[in-house]
Amino acid sequence: MSFCRLAGLCCLTLLLTGCSGNWGWYVVDPTVPAGWINLKFLLSGLYYTLLLSFTAIVISIVIGLAVALPALSANRALRRFNRIYVELVRAVPILVLILWVYYGLPQMTGLSITVFWAGVIALALSDSAFEAEIFRAGIQSIDKGQYEAAHSISLSYTDMMMYVILPQAVRRILPALGNQLVYMLKMSSLVSVIGMQELTRKANELVVVEYRPLEIYTVLVLEYLVLILIVSAGVRWLERKLQSDQRG
Amino acid sequence: MVKTSFCAMLNLSAKAMIKVENVSKTFGDFHALKNVSLEVLTGEKVVVCGPSGSGKSTLIRCINGLERHDEGLIEVADNRLTHTSSSLRAVRSSVGMVFQQFNLFPHLTVKQNLTLGPVRTRKLSQPDADKLAMAYLERVRIPEQADKFPRQLSGGQQQRVAIARSLCMEPQIMLFDEPTSALDPEMINEVLDVMSELAGSGMTMICVTHEMGFAKRVADTMVFMDHGEIVEKAPPEQFFSNPGTERCRDFLSKILAH
Ligand SMILES: Nc1ncnc2c1ncn2[C@@H]1O[C@H](COP(=O)(O)OP(=O)(O)OP(=O)(O)O)[C@@H](O)[C@H]1O
Ligand SMILES: [Mg+2]
């Protein structure tokens, strides 16, 4: 299914190429030595795009969970903490958060921070508010009877969450978590503004040298597209696997 | 079969396993339990019945701390229930509970459902817990389902798994909240059989149920609740042949009619 869509897009690209005399595919033509070097240069950004996104998503899931649990507590102050965190973090644009963490945080704390970790922190923080909402909804969707059964075999709170509630909640929110991962992969392009050598930054740098924005950005679009189609397929595979687990 | 209450009458020092004294519970303005007192002796089987909303579930849920009682005293196997986590743990470790909707863990296999409690709370090793689980699955007569998921079983089988899961915690008391109400008629007996056998083994039990055949066979004491109160408490012979109150007579005539 996704491959059909991909093939369709490639056809469209070729069609556009045919329609216009202005395309200069030589800049990224793998059969030409210079084009091959350019293409490798563009693809080399993949490493940091992936590392950045996956590190950030893991951290944001941990923070998200830690922020979601207080929302489910009977304690009013804890619930309020959750609301304030979610509202505040959600209100800051990601780009602004990236700039603030990279340029502002070191001045405030006196600690220096690498581009990579500034990017990870900003992406993770900004995403954590959404993860928190997803986890809250997922955990709340679990039947009360599951808690009661866990209590009745005297599981501790931690064991109950670890072995009974979260495994079920995670299965339910997996599609939403997959969406967040896709979102994260896309948003990681913003970290290029502070000089992170990921896909978008590489493309920008090549455009400055080669003056062929149309071809280079088209390659960039295709890079994200393929990456995200693969990740989505992976998430769907995981979903199916976990579902069939429950049926045996 | 010698009824345990008979033994209890002879043995005047028979110990109270559960003591409920003047317990009240409100939900907002609504009084779900009004000054309820009940004592259950070791090995005694109590069957609780009464109309919908009369507080039956609330009563047994208070006994293992799933609901928090507002007033009165609850003591289970010599542990006073105070809703501190240590008191809750002490009480719950001696009380097993079976729910109307089974409440099995759907993401775990039958065997994993049974071993989770023993491994996490009773700190058994996994192999020991597996052995224990198989022993109890034998007892509820479904050892061959050990590696299936709850969803793959019939309702009756699921409820038997739920009973086995409680028994794996080796409780002194079992609470049943309408264990057969969610079952298709043809599956009710397989669950009642397991419960009768459990009763025969000397377990202390409180069952909320409207299965009056089962009650007559197994109960030492019948309790009738209405509007959050225990209206009547009597041995089954007397309870069924000569109910002391109008409300109880009405109720019995309704449920025994069909
Ligand atoms: N969590 C709750 N919040 C508000 N009201 C509740 C709650 N739980 C029970 N009640 C009310 O308390 C009353 C007693 O409920 P309970 O579940 O104990 O009745 P029951 O005798 O078990 O009835 P049924 O046969 O329908 O199960 C009912 O009127 C019910 O609406
Ligand atoms: Mg009930």
Side-chain angles (χ1 to χ4, degrees):
Chain A
M1 193 52 198
S2 53
F3 284 99
C4 295
R5 258 177 275 154
L6 182 59
L9 202 106
C10 291
C11 290
L12 193 70
T13 314
L14 290 175
L15 204 69
L16 282 173
T17 320
C19 286
S20 157
N22 276 341
W23 291 76
W25 280 111
Y26 67 88
V27 273
V28 288
D29 184 349
T31 59
V32 182
W36 177 234
I37 288 169
N38 283 346
L39 201 58
K40 277 205 298 194
F41 178 76
L42 286 176
L43 284 171
S44 68
L46 194 60
Y47 173 71
Y48 273 120
T49 292
L50 288 176
L51 193 63
L52 194 63
S53 305
F54 282 97
T55 314
I57 198 93
V58 169
I59 295 175
S60 81
I61 283 176
V62 172
I63 301 176
L65 187 57
V67 173
L69 291 177
L72 306 159
S73 134
N75 183 321
R76 188 102 145 264
L78 286 176
R79 289 206 306 271
R80 180 155 303 165
F81 158 77
N82 168 279
R83 285 330 302 163
I84 292 173
Y85 182 92
V86 169
E87 295 299 334
L88 281 187
V89 173
R90 223 164 35 178
V92 185
I94 300 186
L95 184 54
V96 175
L97 200 57
I98 291 170
L99 294 173
W100 187 82
V101 169
Y102 187 59
Y103 296 109
L105 203 59
Q107 262 189 33
M108 198 173 85
T109 60
L111 299 168
S112 70
I113 190 166
T114 63
V115 169
F116 176 77
W117 284 106
V120 165
I121 291 171
L123 289 176
L125 273 182
S126 129
D127 194 53
S128 66
F130 298 94
E131 301 287 354
E133 289 294 272
I134 292 169
F135 270 105
R136 183 174 64 81
I139 294 171
Q140 277 174 340
S141 79
I142 302 299
D143 180 45
K144 240 180 73 215
Q146 294 291 307
Y147 290 88
E148 296 183 347
H151 286 317
S152 78
I153 54 169
S154 41
L155 291 185
S156 66
Y157 176 79
T158 320
D159 285 343
M160 173 176 78
M161 291 318 269
M162 283 267 291
Y163 297 100
V164 177
I165 305 300
L166 286 178
Q168 295 183 62
V170 166
R171 277 173 173 80
R172 285 195 196 173
I173 62 178
L174 210 58
L177 291 181
N179 275 342
Q180 286 312 114
L181 178 56
V182 166
Y183 184 69
M184 187 69 94
L185 284 166
K186 294 195 285 188
M187 288 309 134
S188 69
S189 61
L190 291 174
V191 188
S192 62
V193 299
I194 55 172
M196 186 77 232
Q197 295 287 319
E198 43 66 73
L199 289 172
T200 306
R201 177 74 179 199
K202 295 279 183 188
N204 281 336
E205 286 181 358
L206 195 62
V207 166
V208 172
V209 179
E210 296 281 359
Y211 276 130
R212 300 251 34 139
L214 183 56
E215 293 76 9
I216 291 168
Y217 286 137
T218 305
V219 170
L220 182 61
V221 167
L222 288 174
E223 281 176 318
Y224 278 111
L225 191 76
V226 171
L227 185 60
I228 282 163
L229 287 178
I230 291 173
V231 167
S232 312
V235 172
R236 270 199 305 278
W237 173 82
L238 193 63
E239 255 172 72
R240 268 200 304 276
K241 192 178 136 52
L242 285 178
Q243 256 166 28
S244 65
D245 258 13
Q246 284 190 30
R247 283 189 221 108
Chain B
M1 191 174 76
V2 181
K3 286 277 176 69
T4 331
S5 65
F6 182 55
C7 304
M9 273 191 286
L10 291 179
N11 177 5
L12 292 174
S13 65
K15 236 174 91 239
M17 186 65 102
I18 304 173
K19 248 191 237 165
V20 175
E21 276 174 30
N22 304 321
V23 165
S24 294
K25 165 80 192 165
T26 54
F27 294 108
D29 294 338
F30 182 80
H31 280 260
L33 293 179
K34 297 173 198 156
N35 223 13
V36 169
S37 297
L38 180 69
E39 201 173 272
V40 181
L41 302 179
T42 305
E44 189 177 359
K45 286 91 183 111
V46 176
V47 168
V48 181
C49 61
S52 181
S54 56
K56 309 177 295 291
S57 299
T58 309
L59 174 62
I60 65 168
R61 289 160 57 82
C62 280
I63 289 172
N64 77 341
L66 286 181
E67 300 287 358
R68 197 184 184 127
H69 58 290
D70 303 323
E71 278 164 48
L73 175 134
I74 297 179
E75 232 178 66
V76 179
D78 293 327
N79 294 299
R80 171 108 183 255
L81 185 59
T82 59
H83 293 277
T84 60
S85 60
S86 64
S87 149
L88 277 174
R89 212 170 317 124
V91 166
R92 284 171 181 164
S93 68
S94 48
V95 181
M97 176 132 181
V98 175
F99 303 88
Q100 184 174 349
Q101 300 298 338
F102 328 138
N103 296 346
L104 293 175
F105 306 131
H107 61 298
L108 300 179
T109 63
V110 165
K111 201 202 270 175
Q112 290 168 335
N113 264 276
L114 267 58
T115 56
L116 182 60
V119 170
R120 301 308 313 173
T121 1
R122 295 179 55 212
K123 307 293 175 204
L124 262 61
S125 70
Q126 190 65 48
D128 285 350
D130 285 344
K131 257 181 257 158
L132 185 75
M134 288 317 295
Y136 278 110
L137 282 178
E138 299 275 359
R139 193 149 160 205
V140 300
R141 301 187 206 109
I142 35 174
E144 71 283 359
Q145 313 287 1
D147 296 314
K148 291 203 182 156
F149 285 87
R151 215 162 286 191
Q152 296 169 293
L153 306 187
S154 73
Q157 290 173 327
Q158 290 191 45
Q159 193 59 298
R160 286 187 279 154
V161 171
I163 294 173
R165 176 176 67 183
S166 288
L167 292 177
C168 277
M169 298 302 290
E170 314 216 299
Q172 296 170 271
I173 301 158
M174 285 288 285
L175 306 175
F176 293 85
D177 191 358
E178 306 203 32
T180 57
S181 300
L183 297 178
D184 292 336
E186 75 273 16
M187 293 170 187
I188 290 178
N189 280 328
E190 64 188 57
V191 172
L192 292 181
D193 287 348
V194 166
M195 290 168 63
S196 302
E197 199 205 292
L198 189 61
S201 77
M203 177 71 75
T204 309
M205 291 165 56
I206 303 183
C207 311
V208 175
T209 182
H210 291 156
E211 294 294 331
M212 288 304 148
F214 169 80
K216 282 176 187 163
R217 261 183 290 129
V218 167
D220 299 307
T221 307
M222 292 295 304
V223 165
F224 172 72
M225 290 187 71
D226 197 15
H227 293 108
E229 290 171 313
I230 292 185
V231 176
E232 190 147 339
K233 176 173 180 273
E237 307 78 41
Q238 185 190 333
F239 183 84
F240 288 108
S241 60
N242 188 18
T245 59
E246 193 60 39
R247 277 191 278 178
C248 186
R249 221 177 334 241
D250 263 9
F251 176 77
L252 284 177
S253 69
K254 266 178 219 146
I255 61 163
L256 291 174
H258 49 82

